[in-house]
Amino acid sequence: MNKTNKVLQSKDVNILVATNLPESMKSYLQETRDKFSVCEFKARSMCPDTDYSDGKKRERKRSVRLSRYDGSAEEVPNTEPEKFKLETFLPILDTLIFELTKPVKAYSQIGNLFSFFSDLKTTASDAQKKKWDHLANMYHKDLNYDDLLNEYEHLKHNMVLDGNCDTLPALYRKLILDSLRSVFLNVENALREFMCMMVTDCTGERSFSRIKL
C-alpha cells in the first residue's frame, strides 16, 4: 500500500498508470480477504508472544430474544481469531477495496479519452474515431477534430521509423525534442492536456492513510 501510494504521488505518473495500479491493488486486496490464515501465521511469527486478548473488561450486553418474525440470528464467532477476522480484518479490507473503486472509475473515464494514443500501429477504426470526436468536443477550444485525425494518421507513419515511443510521455518528449510541435499541433495539445492532469486527490490520500490507523 505504501509503495503504491508513493508511485501515485510521483511526478512522472500519468492517468493510465493511475488507473492500472489501483485496479491491481484492488484485486490483490480481494484475494487477501480469503487468506486470513496466511496473514495470521505471518503475524504470529513476527509476534509469537502476542494473543488476541486486549486486557480490557468486556461489557455485558443484554440478550435480545428473537421473535418468529425477526429472521435468523447472526452467526456468532466461536474463537478469538474468527472474531478478529469478522470485526477487524474483513472490515478494513472491505473499506480499502471500496475506496479504491472510486478513483479507478474516475481515472478510467479520463484515461479512455487519451488511450488511443498508446496504440499508434493499428488502423483507425470507427471506435477510435468516436473517441477522437469525443476528445475534440470536450476540448473544443484547443483541438480540431479533422486536424487531429489527419495529424494522428501522419504521426502513425512517423512512429514506424522510430519505435522507441511506447508510452505517451515518451511520445510527447519526442515531439518536443524533435521540434515537431508545429507539425502535430493538435496531438501535442492533447498530450499536454493529458500530461498536466493531476493524479492524486484528497479522497485517495484519506483512503491510503486509513491503513496507518
Side-chain angles (χ1 to χ4, degrees):
M1 295 292 294
N2 186 46
K3 293 178 180 178
T4 301
N5 190 20
K6 288 184 177 180
V7 171
L8 291 177
Q9 295 184 78
S10 62
K11 63 179 182 180
D12 296 327
V13 71
N14 58 63
I15 296 293
L16 295 181
V17 175
T19 302
N20 297 331
L21 197 56
E23 183 66 34
S24 62
M25 175 59 69
K26 178 183 172 182
S27 300
Y28 168 74
L29 292 175
Q30 288 173 334
E31 291 181 357
T32 305
R33 291 184 86 259
D34 301 325
K35 298 179 179 179
F36 173 75
S37 58
V38 177
C39 297
E40 183 190 27
F41 177 78
K42 291 181 179 179
R44 287 186 180 278
S45 64
M46 290 186 291
C47 304
D49 299 328
T50 304
D51 57 19
Y52 286 96
S53 176
D54 57 4
K56 297 180 181 179
K57 294 183 179 180
R58 298 181 180 178
E59 297 181 358
R60 296 187 61 184
K61 296 183 179 180
R62 183 174 60 89
S63 62
V64 178
R65 184 184 298 276
L66 296 177
S67 69
R68 59 179 298 180
Y69 300 105
D70 288 335
S72 58
E74 296 182 358
E75 182 180 355
V76 179
N78 296 325
T79 63
E80 290 296 331
E82 290 180 359
K83 182 179 179 181
F84 181 82
K85 176 182 178 181
L86 293 176
E87 297 181 356
T88 305
F89 182 76
L90 293 181
I92 288 178
L93 289 180
D94 290 340
T95 299
L96 291 172
I97 291 171
F98 174 77
E99 293 296 337
L100 284 171
T101 302
K102 294 184 287 186
V104 168
K105 182 179 179 180
Y107 297 152
S108 297
Q109 293 175 350
I110 298 298
N112 288 335
L113 291 173
F114 300 90
S115 59
F116 59 85
F117 280 113
S118 61
D119 197 8
L120 290 170
K121 297 181 181 180
T122 60
T123 305
S125 62
D126 293 337
Q128 284 180 322
K129 291 180 180 179
K130 289 181 180 179
K131 289 184 178 181
W132 295 331
D133 189 25
H134 188 195
L135 181 64
N137 288 331
M138 180 166 289
Y139 300 99
H140 58 90
K141 293 183 179 181
D142 302 315
L143 305 176
N144 179 275
Y145 171 74
D146 293 329
D147 292 341
L148 179 63
L149 180 60
N150 291 330
E151 291 176 14
Y152 180 86
E153 293 294 338
H154 184 189
L155 181 64
K156 181 176 65 176
H157 294 288
N158 184 274
M159 291 299 102
V160 173
L161 303 178
D162 187 351
N164 296 326
C165 299
D166 297 330
T167 64
L168 298 189
L171 176 60
Y172 183 77
R173 284 194 294 268
K174 175 179 173 57
L175 296 180
I176 300 302
L177 294 177
D178 293 353
S179 302
L180 298 177
R181 184 177 183 276
S182 59
V183 179
F184 304 104
L185 181 61
N186 284 268
V187 171
E188 192 272 338
N189 285 338
L191 290 175
R192 181 153 41 86
E193 294 277 0
F194 174 79
M195 297 292 294
C196 292
M197 287 184 179
M198 298 293 292
V199 171
T200 55
D201 53 65
C202 59
T203 302
E205 291 298 318
R206 288 196 297 269
S207 301
F208 280 107
S209 63
R210 179 67 178 175
I211 193 65
K212 298 179 182 179
L213 300 180

Tab-separated table of all heavy atoms in Angstrom, residues 16 113-125 128 131-132 135 148-175 180 184 186-188 190-191:
chain	number	residue	atom	x	y	z
A	16	LEU	N	-3.134	6.880	-17.052
A	16	LEU	CA	-3.242	5.470	-17.424
A	16	LEU	C	-2.574	4.572	-16.381
A	16	LEU	O	-3.099	3.512	-16.032
A	16	LEU	CB	-2.605	5.240	-18.799
A	16	LEU	CG	-3.291	5.938	-19.978
A	16	LEU	CD1	-2.574	5.618	-21.278
A	16	LEU	CD2	-4.756	5.549	-20.060
A	113	LEU	N	-10.258	8.686	-22.824
A	113	LEU	CA	-10.225	9.753	-23.822
A	113	LEU	C	-8.898	9.786	-24.572
A	113	LEU	O	-8.844	10.180	-25.744
A	113	LEU	CB	-10.458	11.114	-23.144
A	113	LEU	CG	-11.847	11.384	-22.579
A	113	LEU	CD1	-11.833	12.689	-21.814
A	113	LEU	CD2	-12.875	11.424	-23.697
A	114	PHE	N	-7.827	9.392	-23.899
A	114	PHE	CA	-6.498	9.518	-24.489
A	114	PHE	C	-5.841	8.171	-24.782
A	114	PHE	O	-4.711	8.145	-25.278
A	114	PHE	CB	-5.583	10.299	-23.536
A	114	PHE	CG	-6.051	11.689	-23.231
A	114	PHE	CD1	-6.898	11.936	-22.163
A	114	PHE	CD2	-5.643	12.762	-24.012
A	114	PHE	CE1	-7.339	13.217	-21.870
A	114	PHE	CE2	-6.069	14.050	-23.729
A	114	PHE	CZ	-6.923	14.277	-22.656
A	115	SER	N	-6.499	7.071	-24.490
A	115	SER	CA	-5.862	5.755	-24.605
A	115	SER	C	-5.474	5.397	-26.030
A	115	SER	O	-4.548	4.611	-26.246
A	115	SER	CB	-6.788	4.673	-24.037
A	115	SER	OG	-8.021	4.658	-24.726
A	116	PHE	N	-6.165	5.962	-27.030
A	116	PHE	CA	-5.854	5.586	-28.413
A	116	PHE	C	-4.471	6.054	-28.839
A	116	PHE	O	-3.899	5.533	-29.790
A	116	PHE	CB	-6.919	6.137	-29.376
A	116	PHE	CG	-7.068	7.633	-29.345
A	116	PHE	CD1	-6.240	8.450	-30.102
A	116	PHE	CD2	-8.051	8.217	-28.571
A	116	PHE	CE1	-6.385	9.821	-30.077
A	116	PHE	CE2	-8.202	9.593	-28.546
A	116	PHE	CZ	-7.368	10.397	-29.301
A	117	PHE	N	-3.889	7.018	-28.134
A	117	PHE	CA	-2.537	7.465	-28.471
A	117	PHE	C	-1.495	6.382	-28.202
A	117	PHE	O	-0.403	6.420	-28.768
A	117	PHE	CB	-2.167	8.716	-27.673
A	117	PHE	CG	-2.739	9.985	-28.240
A	117	PHE	CD1	-3.700	10.694	-27.544
A	117	PHE	CD2	-2.327	10.462	-29.471
A	117	PHE	CE1	-4.231	11.859	-28.055
A	117	PHE	CE2	-2.849	11.631	-29.993
A	117	PHE	CZ	-3.808	12.332	-29.281
A	118	SER	N	-1.815	5.441	-27.336
A	118	SER	CA	-0.841	4.402	-26.976
A	118	SER	C	-0.821	3.242	-27.963
A	118	SER	O	-0.055	2.305	-27.791
A	118	SER	CB	-1.151	3.870	-25.568
A	118	SER	OG	-2.441	3.299	-25.527
A	119	ASP	N	-1.643	3.298	-28.995
A	119	ASP	CA	-1.706	2.221	-29.982
A	119	ASP	C	-1.656	2.821	-31.378
A	119	ASP	O	-2.617	2.755	-32.150
A	119	ASP	CB	-2.983	1.396	-29.787
A	119	ASP	CG	-2.898	0.051	-30.503
A	119	ASP	OD1	-1.803	-0.282	-31.003
A	119	ASP	OD2	-3.911	-0.654	-30.566
A	120	LEU	N	-0.514	3.392	-31.702
A	120	LEU	CA	-0.369	4.095	-32.979
A	120	LEU	C	-0.219	3.159	-34.178
A	120	LEU	O	-0.351	3.593	-35.314
A	120	LEU	CB	0.853	5.023	-32.930
A	120	LEU	CG	0.736	6.254	-32.032
A	120	LEU	CD1	2.089	6.922	-31.886
A	120	LEU	CD2	-0.272	7.228	-32.600
A	121	LYS	N	0.071	1.883	-33.933
A	121	LYS	CA	0.363	0.972	-35.033
A	121	LYS	C	-0.890	0.375	-35.672
A	121	LYS	O	-0.813	-0.267	-36.709
A	121	LYS	CB	1.272	-0.160	-34.539
A	121	LYS	CG	2.630	0.332	-34.053
A	121	LYS	CD	3.497	-0.825	-33.587
A	121	LYS	CE	4.844	-0.321	-33.079
A	121	LYS	NZ	5.707	-1.437	-32.611
A	122	THR	N	-2.042	0.574	-35.046
A	122	THR	CA	-3.264	-0.003	-35.587
A	122	THR	C	-3.961	0.988	-36.524
A	122	THR	O	-3.780	2.204	-36.421
A	122	THR	CB	-4.237	-0.383	-34.456
A	122	THR	OG1	-4.554	0.801	-33.706
A	122	THR	CG2	-3.602	-1.413	-33.540
A	123	THR	N	-4.748	0.464	-37.413
A	123	THR	CA	-5.501	1.292	-38.340
A	123	THR	C	-6.669	1.949	-37.612
A	123	THR	O	-7.292	1.343	-36.742
A	123	THR	CB	-6.037	0.448	-39.509
A	123	THR	OG1	-4.943	-0.229	-40.118
A	123	THR	CG2	-6.745	1.322	-40.534
A	124	ALA	N	-6.952	3.178	-37.972
A	124	ALA	CA	-8.033	3.901	-37.307
A	124	ALA	C	-9.365	3.190	-37.535
A	124	ALA	O	-9.748	2.903	-38.660
A	124	ALA	CB	-8.104	5.328	-37.837
A	125	SER	N	-10.054	2.891	-36.457
A	125	SER	CA	-11.346	2.232	-36.526
A	125	SER	C	-12.453	3.229	-36.208
A	125	SER	O	-12.197	4.364	-35.804
A	125	SER	CB	-11.394	1.053	-35.545
A	125	SER	OG	-11.224	1.514	-34.218
A	128	GLN	N	-12.268	4.244	-32.580
A	128	GLN	CA	-11.247	5.248	-32.311
A	128	GLN	C	-11.699	6.624	-32.775
A	128	GLN	O	-11.467	7.631	-32.099
A	128	GLN	CB	-9.939	4.861	-32.991
A	128	GLN	CG	-9.174	3.753	-32.292
A	128	GLN	CD	-7.890	3.405	-33.017
A	128	GLN	OE1	-7.847	3.389	-34.246
A	128	GLN	NE2	-6.855	3.125	-32.261
A	131	LYS	N	-13.804	8.196	-30.288
A	131	LYS	CA	-13.016	8.731	-29.173
A	131	LYS	C	-12.389	10.070	-29.538
A	131	LYS	O	-12.351	10.994	-28.722
A	131	LYS	CB	-11.938	7.729	-28.769
A	131	LYS	CG	-12.463	6.485	-28.076
A	131	LYS	CD	-11.325	5.602	-27.617
A	131	LYS	CE	-11.839	4.377	-26.877
A	131	LYS	NZ	-10.721	3.512	-26.399
A	132	TRP	N	-11.878	10.164	-30.781
A	132	TRP	CA	-11.310	11.445	-31.222
A	132	TRP	C	-12.372	12.537	-31.204
A	132	TRP	O	-12.130	13.658	-30.793
A	132	TRP	CB	-10.720	11.311	-32.629
A	132	TRP	CG	-9.554	10.395	-32.712
A	132	TRP	CD1	-8.645	10.106	-31.742
A	132	TRP	CD2	-9.179	9.613	-33.845
A	132	TRP	NE1	-7.728	9.200	-32.195
A	132	TRP	CE2	-8.018	8.881	-33.482
A	132	TRP	CE3	-9.682	9.447	-35.128
A	132	TRP	CZ2	-7.366	8.018	-34.350
A	132	TRP	CZ3	-9.042	8.585	-36.002
A	132	TRP	CH2	-7.901	7.881	-35.614
A	135	LEU	N	-13.088	13.512	-27.653
A	135	LEU	CA	-11.974	14.300	-27.115
A	135	LEU	C	-11.983	15.714	-27.678
A	135	LEU	O	-11.798	16.684	-26.950
A	135	LEU	CB	-10.652	13.607	-27.438
A	135	LEU	CG	-9.379	14.282	-26.928
A	135	LEU	CD1	-9.350	14.313	-25.402
A	135	LEU	CD2	-8.141	13.569	-27.467
A	148	LEU	N	-6.938	16.848	-35.928
A	148	LEU	CA	-6.458	15.808	-35.017
A	148	LEU	C	-6.397	14.462	-35.717
A	148	LEU	O	-5.434	13.706	-35.560
A	148	LEU	CB	-7.362	15.728	-33.789
A	148	LEU	CG	-7.017	14.667	-32.735
A	148	LEU	CD1	-5.645	14.939	-32.131
A	148	LEU	CD2	-8.078	14.625	-31.643
A	149	LEU	N	-7.414	14.154	-36.535
A	149	LEU	CA	-7.442	12.887	-37.260
A	149	LEU	C	-6.307	12.812	-38.277
A	149	LEU	O	-5.611	11.794	-38.370
A	149	LEU	CB	-8.792	12.728	-37.962
A	149	LEU	CG	-8.998	11.456	-38.781
A	149	LEU	CD1	-8.872	10.229	-37.894
A	149	LEU	CD2	-10.357	11.480	-39.481
A	150	ASN	N	-6.082	13.882	-39.029
A	150	ASN	CA	-5.000	13.890	-40.025
A	150	ASN	C	-3.631	13.807	-39.363
A	150	ASN	O	-2.740	13.082	-39.848
A	150	ASN	CB	-5.099	15.162	-40.872
A	150	ASN	CG	-6.317	15.160	-41.776
A	150	ASN	OD1	-6.779	14.107	-42.200
A	150	ASN	ND2	-6.847	16.342	-42.057
A	151	GLU	N	-3.450	14.545	-38.272
A	151	GLU	CA	-2.164	14.503	-37.576
A	151	GLU	C	-1.900	13.130	-36.988
A	151	GLU	O	-0.757	12.663	-36.979
A	151	GLU	CB	-2.144	15.572	-36.472
A	151	GLU	CG	-2.113	16.996	-36.994
A	151	GLU	CD	-2.204	18.011	-35.877
A	151	GLU	OE1	-2.015	17.614	-34.701
A	151	GLU	OE2	-2.461	19.201	-36.163
A	152	TYR	N	-2.947	12.479	-36.494
A	152	TYR	CA	-2.777	11.137	-35.933
A	152	TYR	C	-2.315	10.159	-37.008
A	152	TYR	O	-1.408	9.351	-36.779
A	152	TYR	CB	-4.091	10.670	-35.316
A	152	TYR	CG	-4.017	9.289	-34.697
A	152	TYR	CD1	-3.583	9.116	-33.389
A	152	TYR	CD2	-4.370	8.158	-35.433
A	152	TYR	CE1	-3.514	7.857	-32.816
A	152	TYR	CE2	-4.302	6.898	-34.868
A	152	TYR	CZ	-3.874	6.746	-33.562
A	152	TYR	OH	-3.800	5.500	-33.015
A	153	GLU	N	-2.943	10.219	-38.192
A	153	GLU	CA	-2.546	9.326	-39.279
A	153	GLU	C	-1.107	9.606	-39.709
A	153	GLU	O	-0.342	8.685	-39.998
A	153	GLU	CB	-3.506	9.491	-40.456
A	153	GLU	CG	-4.926	9.008	-40.191
A	153	GLU	CD	-4.985	7.511	-39.987
A	153	GLU	OE1	-4.076	6.802	-40.438
A	153	GLU	OE2	-5.958	7.039	-39.350
A	154	HIS	N	-0.744	10.888	-39.757
A	154	HIS	CA	0.635	11.247	-40.108
A	154	HIS	C	1.610	10.756	-39.047
A	154	HIS	O	2.674	10.205	-39.353
A	154	HIS	CB	0.732	12.764	-40.276
A	154	HIS	CG	2.076	13.235	-40.716
A	154	HIS	ND1	2.439	14.567	-40.757
A	154	HIS	CD2	3.192	12.549	-41.128
A	154	HIS	CE1	3.685	14.677	-41.163
A	154	HIS	NE2	4.175	13.468	-41.396
A	155	LEU	N	1.233	10.959	-37.800
A	155	LEU	CA	2.100	10.557	-36.698
A	155	LEU	C	2.294	9.046	-36.672
A	155	LEU	O	3.379	8.564	-36.348
A	155	LEU	CB	1.500	11.030	-35.379
A	155	LEU	CG	2.301	10.723	-34.104
A	155	LEU	CD1	3.638	11.444	-34.131
A	155	LEU	CD2	1.508	11.121	-32.859
A	156	LYS	N	1.265	8.304	-37.031
A	156	LYS	CA	1.357	6.843	-37.042
A	156	LYS	C	2.448	6.382	-38.002
A	156	LYS	O	3.250	5.498	-37.683
A	156	LYS	CB	0.011	6.237	-37.440
A	156	LYS	CG	0.002	4.721	-37.459
A	156	LYS	CD	-1.386	4.193	-37.771
A	156	LYS	CE	-1.802	4.594	-39.183
A	156	LYS	NZ	-3.114	4.010	-39.545
A	157	HIS	N	2.532	6.982	-39.176
A	157	HIS	CA	3.575	6.628	-40.139
A	157	HIS	C	4.939	7.138	-39.685
A	157	HIS	O	5.965	6.507	-39.949
A	157	HIS	CB	3.237	7.199	-41.513
A	157	HIS	CG	2.015	6.587	-42.131
A	157	HIS	ND1	1.985	5.298	-42.628
A	157	HIS	CD2	0.766	7.089	-42.316
A	157	HIS	CE1	0.788	5.029	-43.095
A	157	HIS	NE2	0.024	6.095	-42.924
A	158	ASN	N	4.960	8.255	-38.991
A	158	ASN	CA	6.218	8.782	-38.484
A	158	ASN	C	6.786	7.880	-37.395
A	158	ASN	O	8.000	7.692	-37.293
A	158	ASN	CB	6.011	10.201	-37.951
A	158	ASN	CG	7.292	10.849	-37.504
A	158	ASN	OD1	7.721	10.670	-36.369
A	158	ASN	ND2	7.933	11.591	-38.399
A	159	MET	N	5.921	7.275	-36.586
A	159	MET	CA	6.367	6.413	-35.497
A	159	MET	C	6.924	5.084	-36.012
A	159	MET	O	7.659	4.402	-35.300
A	159	MET	CB	5.220	6.134	-34.537
A	159	MET	CG	4.771	7.333	-33.716
A	159	MET	SD	6.070	8.002	-32.640
A	159	MET	CE	6.582	9.441	-33.609
A	160	VAL	N	6.558	4.694	-37.238
A	160	VAL	CA	7.111	3.464	-37.812
A	160	VAL	C	8.618	3.570	-37.943
A	160	VAL	O	9.362	2.593	-37.796
A	160	VAL	CB	6.462	3.170	-39.178
A	160	VAL	CG1	7.149	1.986	-39.852
A	160	VAL	CG2	4.982	2.883	-39.006
A	161	LEU	N	9.097	4.778	-38.200
A	161	LEU	CA	10.535	4.999	-38.351
A	161	LEU	C	11.248	5.087	-37.005
A	161	LEU	O	12.467	5.007	-36.948
A	161	LEU	CB	10.772	6.304	-39.136
A	161	LEU	CG	10.111	6.366	-40.520
A	161	LEU	CD1	10.377	7.726	-41.160
A	161	LEU	CD2	10.619	5.242	-41.419
A	162	ASP	N	10.491	5.257	-35.937
A	162	ASP	CA	11.076	5.373	-34.610
A	162	ASP	C	10.211	4.573	-33.643
A	162	ASP	O	9.138	5.018	-33.233
A	162	ASP	CB	11.137	6.842	-34.166
A	162	ASP	CG	11.910	7.010	-32.858
A	162	ASP	OD1	12.234	5.988	-32.228
A	162	ASP	OD2	12.187	8.158	-32.486
A	163	GLY	N	10.659	3.391	-33.265
A	163	GLY	CA	9.867	2.510	-32.415
A	163	GLY	C	10.143	2.669	-30.935
A	163	GLY	O	9.852	1.758	-30.159
A	164	ASN	N	10.741	3.782	-30.508
A	164	ASN	CA	11.104	3.967	-29.102
A	164	ASN	C	10.040	4.698	-28.300
A	164	ASN	O	10.273	5.018	-27.141
A	164	ASN	CB	12.425	4.758	-29.017
A	164	ASN	CG	13.584	3.987	-29.630
A	164	ASN	OD1	13.641	2.758	-29.545
A	164	ASN	ND2	14.510	4.707	-30.264
A	165	CYS	N	8.897	4.977	-28.900
A	165	CYS	CA	7.851	5.724	-28.207
A	165	CYS	C	6.723	4.784	-27.803
A	165	CYS	O	5.661	4.744	-28.428
A	165	CYS	CB	7.321	6.855	-29.098
A	165	CYS	SG	8.573	8.063	-29.558
A	166	ASP	N	6.982	3.994	-26.771
A	166	ASP	CA	5.996	3.015	-26.331
A	166	ASP	C	4.991	3.595	-25.342
A	166	ASP	O	3.950	2.996	-25.101
A	166	ASP	CB	6.703	1.807	-25.695
A	166	ASP	CG	7.588	1.073	-26.691
A	166	ASP	OD1	7.254	1.092	-27.888
A	166	ASP	OD2	8.606	0.503	-26.267
A	167	THR	N	5.295	4.732	-24.744
A	167	THR	CA	4.412	5.345	-23.766
A	167	THR	C	4.061	6.763	-24.209
A	167	THR	O	4.754	7.357	-25.043
A	167	THR	CB	5.067	5.384	-22.376
A	167	THR	OG1	6.247	6.224	-22.428
A	167	THR	CG2	5.462	3.987	-21.924
A	168	LEU	N	2.993	7.290	-23.646
A	168	LEU	CA	2.583	8.646	-24.005
A	168	LEU	C	3.601	9.704	-23.565
A	168	LEU	O	3.857	10.642	-24.316
A	168	LEU	CB	1.210	8.941	-23.405
A	168	LEU	CG	0.054	8.054	-23.888
A	168	LEU	CD1	-1.273	8.593	-23.390
A	168	LEU	CD2	0.037	7.955	-25.402
A	169	PRO	N	4.208	9.608	-22.374
A	169	PRO	CA	5.267	10.573	-22.042
A	169	PRO	C	6.436	10.527	-23.015
A	169	PRO	O	6.992	11.573	-23.376
A	169	PRO	CB	5.698	10.140	-20.629
A	169	PRO	CG	4.497	9.478	-20.058
A	169	PRO	CD	3.859	8.757	-21.216
A	170	ALA	N	6.821	9.319	-23.467
A	170	ALA	CA	7.914	9.207	-24.434
A	170	ALA	C	7.523	9.830	-25.765
A	170	ALA	O	8.341	10.478	-26.432
A	170	ALA	CB	8.288	7.742	-24.623
A	171	LEU	N	6.268	9.641	-26.166
A	171	LEU	CA	5.792	10.243	-27.413
A	171	LEU	C	5.805	11.757	-27.319
A	171	LEU	O	6.221	12.446	-28.266
A	171	LEU	CB	4.375	9.734	-27.704
A	171	LEU	CG	3.677	10.334	-28.925
A	171	LEU	CD1	4.467	10.052	-30.199
A	171	LEU	CD2	2.255	9.787	-29.047
A	172	TYR	N	5.380	12.288	-26.181
A	172	TYR	CA	5.373	13.741	-26.020
A	172	TYR	C	6.797	14.303	-26.031
A	172	TYR	O	7.055	15.353	-26.645
A	172	TYR	CB	4.673	14.113	-24.714
A	172	TYR	CG	4.558	15.600	-24.495
A	172	TYR	CD1	3.605	16.338	-25.177
A	172	TYR	CD2	5.415	16.270	-23.625
A	172	TYR	CE1	3.494	17.702	-24.993
A	172	TYR	CE2	5.316	17.631	-23.435
A	172	TYR	CZ	4.344	18.345	-24.120
A	172	TYR	OH	4.249	19.693	-23.950
A	173	ARG	N	7.712	13.612	-25.360
A	173	ARG	CA	9.110	14.076	-25.352
A	173	ARG	C	9.689	14.085	-26.762
A	173	ARG	O	10.459	14.988	-27.112
A	173	ARG	CB	9.949	13.196	-24.428
A	173	ARG	CG	9.742	13.464	-22.942
A	173	ARG	CD	10.822	12.809	-22.103
A	173	ARG	NE	10.729	11.364	-22.181
A	173	ARG	CZ	10.035	10.617	-21.318
A	173	ARG	NH1	9.368	11.198	-20.335
A	173	ARG	NH2	10.004	9.303	-21.433
A	174	LYS	N	9.309	13.114	-27.574
A	174	LYS	CA	9.820	13.065	-28.940
A	174	LYS	C	9.338	14.277	-29.738
A	174	LYS	O	10.113	14.891	-30.489
A	174	LYS	CB	9.365	11.778	-29.636
A	174	LYS	CG	9.773	11.717	-31.112
A	174	LYS	CD	9.344	10.431	-31.764
A	174	LYS	CE	9.606	10.476	-33.268
A	174	LYS	NZ	11.041	10.756	-33.575
A	175	LEU	N	8.069	14.623	-29.585
A	175	LEU	CA	7.536	15.777	-30.312
A	175	LEU	C	8.263	17.059	-29.927
A	175	LEU	O	8.516	17.921	-30.785
A	175	LEU	CB	6.039	15.921	-30.035
A	175	LEU	CG	5.127	14.784	-30.517
A	175	LEU	CD1	3.679	15.092	-30.171
A	175	LEU	CD2	5.281	14.567	-32.017
A	180	LEU	N	8.746	18.978	-33.390
A	180	LEU	CA	7.631	18.590	-34.254
A	180	LEU	C	6.301	19.185	-33.798
A	180	LEU	O	5.244	18.788	-34.291
A	180	LEU	CB	7.510	17.062	-34.291
A	180	LEU	CG	8.712	16.305	-34.851
A	180	LEU	CD1	8.487	14.797	-34.749
A	180	LEU	CD2	8.956	16.694	-36.302
A	184	PHE	N	2.501	18.605	-35.559
A	184	PHE	CA	1.444	17.863	-34.861
A	184	PHE	C	0.883	18.737	-33.736
A	184	PHE	O	0.920	18.365	-32.568
A	184	PHE	CB	2.007	16.565	-34.299
A	184	PHE	CG	2.658	15.679	-35.329
A	184	PHE	CD1	4.046	15.596	-35.412
A	184	PHE	CD2	1.894	14.941	-36.209
A	184	PHE	CE1	4.647	14.778	-36.347
A	184	PHE	CE2	2.487	14.119	-37.159
A	184	PHE	CZ	3.865	14.041	-37.231
A	186	ASN	N	-2.250	19.712	-32.854
A	186	ASN	CA	-3.389	19.202	-32.079
A	186	ASN	C	-3.000	18.003	-31.227
A	186	ASN	O	-3.472	17.846	-30.097
A	186	ASN	CB	-4.536	18.827	-33.025
A	186	ASN	CG	-5.285	20.022	-33.565
A	186	ASN	OD1	-6.273	20.467	-33.011
A	186	ASN	ND2	-4.783	20.562	-34.674
A	187	VAL	N	-2.144	17.148	-31.764
A	187	VAL	CA	-1.672	15.998	-30.990
A	187	VAL	C	-0.882	16.469	-29.781
A	187	VAL	O	-1.044	15.960	-28.669
A	187	VAL	CB	-0.818	15.059	-31.865
A	187	VAL	CG1	-0.156	13.981	-31.019
A	187	VAL	CG2	-1.678	14.423	-32.951
A	188	GLU	N	-0.023	17.458	-29.996
A	188	GLU	CA	0.780	17.984	-28.883
A	188	GLU	C	-0.102	18.632	-27.829
A	188	GLU	O	0.115	18.457	-26.627
A	188	GLU	CB	1.793	18.997	-29.425
A	188	GLU	CG	2.872	19.402	-28.425
A	188	GLU	CD	2.432	20.579	-27.560
A	188	GLU	OE1	1.514	21.320	-27.996
A	188	GLU	OE2	3.002	20.748	-26.461
A	190	ALA	N	-3.225	17.837	-27.165
A	190	ALA	CA	-3.942	16.769	-26.468
A	190	ALA	C	-3.039	16.060	-25.470
A	190	ALA	O	-3.442	15.776	-24.332
A	190	ALA	CB	-4.501	15.774	-27.479
A	191	LEU	N	-1.808	15.767	-25.887
A	191	LEU	CA	-0.876	15.089	-24.982
A	191	LEU	C	-0.501	15.984	-23.804
A	191	LEU	O	-0.328	15.496	-22.683
A	191	LEU	CB	0.386	14.676	-25.749
A	191	LEU	CG	0.216	13.539	-26.759
A	191	LEU	CD1	1.520	13.313	-27.522
A	191	LEU	CD2	-0.221	12.252	-26.068
